Amino acid sequence: MVSRRILRAVPLPEATPQRFRDVRRLAEVDSTNRYLLDEARRGAATGLVVVADHQTAGRGRLGRTWEAPAGASLLMSVLLRPALGVVDRQLVVMAAAVAMAEAVETATGVRPELKWPNDLLVGNRKLGGILAEASGDAVVVGIGVNVAWPAVPPELDGIATACNLEGGRPATRDGVLGAFLERYGPRLDDLEATRREYRVRLATLGCRVRVERADGVVTGTARDVDPAGHLLVDVDGDGTEVVAAGDVVHLRRDDQRG
Ligand code: BT5
């Protein structure tokens, strides 16, 4: 059976924008994305937010899993019904990445960079990840951010990090959540500014990259992102590839200067 214990009603900070005032808190759930996709199918309104202390089956992209010690990560999903085309849905996710990077910086002082398409990184370690899933006209944007971890679990050693482990100011998950909900609206409302800020934070640009796609591997230099959020990769001696989906490995950062 799917677990869905409702935790407690915690008052939101006064500044929480009207558009995201419906925040449900769960002690434990299989996946906040799965929960909101079901709510979306039942007709839940745009702007519904769910936050869990613990996920028993947290989802990553491409069937991977998202792990987090209980009570130590912000695990949240937002339901949106954007009146946008499929291409623009990618921008809703880009806006979430930018807003969360800004929220982490505001709440903890740690300044995350982004890795295409929307990982939050500190150095080469992952601080947060985003998984967007659609159902009909609904998009569920799920975000995990490692806020206060006792230690990095052995299976994520060298892969993951957390705000407290990067010397961030002591921060609560609610502090990061509140800062995110304040930033996300303005980032959705001004997608031009969001694209600009995304490029500024995107550590992938200028990097030597290996891109793993369903149809094979591309190696080259990440040159730019197009307005739809696709990654443009200069493939050695072979023109430019437009990458809409895939996994990127940063091979070397300063290739263009070398
Ligand atoms: C992602 O997938 O980065 C998307 C993660 C989205 C998680 C949130 S949590 C709230 C919401 N509800 C859900 O069920 N999911 C969303 P991907 O790029 O596939 O990265 C997954 C990989 O990152 C794993 O295979 C691990 O190597 C690594 N990983 C797993 N847990 C991690 C963590 N807490 N921090 C950093 N890396 C992690």
Side-chain angles (χ1 to χ4, degrees):
M1 201 183 97
V2 168
S3 60
R4 142 185 334 182
R5 271 196 300 134
I6 302 227
L7 188 59
R8 67 205 180 267
V10 176
L12 288 167
E14 276 308 307
T16 306
Q18 204 56 39
R19 140 189 216 177
F20 297 121
R21 283 203 78 85
D22 190 359
V23 178
R24 286 187 202 166
R25 294 169 185 275
L26 310 176
E28 186 180 289
V29 72
D30 52 346
S31 152
T32 57
N33 268 30
R34 198 279 311 150
Y35 177 92
L36 268 197
L37 283 165
D38 279 1
E39 293 299 300
R41 287 184 199 109
R42 286 195 204 101
T46 188
L48 177 61
V49 179
V50 64
V51 188
D53 278 351
H54 181 55
Q55 294 185 131
T56 53
R59 299 178 182 173
R61 295 178 308 135
L62 306 168
R64 291 185 290 243
T65 56
W66 190 255
E67 311 290 339
S73 283
L74 175 59
L75 305 166
M76 65 174 296
S77 298
V78 183
L79 167 61
L80 295 171
R81 295 190 186 272
L84 301 169
V86 170
V87 167
D88 288 346
R89 283 186 182 176
Q90 209 149 339
L91 300 179
V92 165
V93 185
M94 186 188 276
V98 171
M100 188 53 90
E102 292 173 327
V104 166
E105 195 168 350
T106 305
T108 75
V110 171
R111 183 181 160 82
E113 291 183 300
L114 300 176
K115 186 179 80 149
W116 189 90
N118 36 52
D119 283 351
L120 277 73
L121 291 189
V122 179
N124 273 328
R125 296 205 164 89
K126 192 155 159 170
L127 185 81
I130 303 185
L131 170 69
E133 297 180 271
S135 170
D137 71 335
V139 182
V140 169
V141 182
I143 314 175
V145 177
N146 310 327
V147 175
W149 278 19
V152 176
E155 65 276 16
L156 292 175
D157 191 30
I159 296 173
T161 190
C163 298
N164 62 314
L165 303 177
E166 295 297 333
R169 289 192 301 273
T172 61
R173 293 172 292 148
D174 269 4
V176 179
L177 170 67
F180 171 77
L181 295 179
E182 270 179 45
R183 290 305 305 146
Y184 196 23
R187 282 298 173 204
L188 287 169
D189 292 340
D190 188 349
L191 291 174
E192 264 322 304
T194 298
R195 279 195 186 98
R196 282 197 300 276
E197 183 59 23
Y198 178 79
R199 287 182 85 267
V200 167
R201 291 210 183 236
L202 193 62
T204 308
L205 291 187
C207 254
R208 188 100 186 121
V209 291
R210 187 172 72 239
V211 187
E212 291 154 7
R213 301 198 290 200
D215 61 351
V217 173
V218 173
T219 305
T221 301
R223 183 166 48 79
D224 210 345
V225 274
D226 72 11
H230 300 157
L231 186 66
L232 307 181
V233 178
D234 286 341
V235 183
D236 310 331
D238 203 15
T240 301
E241 279 281 335
V242 181
V243 183
D247 270 327
V248 165
V249 179
H250 288 172
L251 300 173
R252 212 164 60 230
R253 282 206 180 193
D254 57 354
D255 186 69
Q256 285 189 328
R257 280 173 268 150

